[in-house]
Amino acid sequence: ILIKTPINGPALVTVERENVKRYFFTKLEGNAPAIRVPIEEGEAPNVFVSGRVLRGSQDSPKKFRMPE
């Protein structure tokens, strides 16, 4: 599975089915960062991958800065 995003920063990636099977943190950098998430034996079928990019208030582009 390949995940692409236009956002840079630390990210939490989870592999889930009924509950979180495994997770890892990674750093997204560059113009169009991509994450490769191999699906391991026993995880298929009906598994999904979720990614959350974490951004603190100091990195917020908004006028009133808040973490996102």
Side-chain angles (χ1 to χ4, degrees):
I1 295 175
L2 184 65
I3 301 172
K4 291 185 178 183
T5 178
I7 302 171
N8 291 325
L12 168 64
V13 180
T14 60
V15 178
E16 306 174 37
R17 183 181 63 210
E18 297 178 3
N19 57 21
V20 176
K21 300 298 182 187
R22 61 188 166 97
Y23 68 93
F24 62 92
F25 291 92
T26 188
K27 184 161 177 112
L28 303 176
E29 297 177 329
N31 189 15
I35 305 168
R36 290 199 179 274
V37 182
I39 301 302
E40 297 176 356
E41 186 175 333
E43 291 180 334
N46 302 329
V47 68
F48 65 95
V49 176
S50 177
R52 303 275 190 267
V53 179
L54 311 171
R55 179 166 44 192
S57 61
Q58 73 276 8
D59 298 323
S60 176
K62 297 180 180 178
K63 182 178 179 179
F64 300 103
R65 296 177 176 214
M66 295 184 67
E68 301 174 299

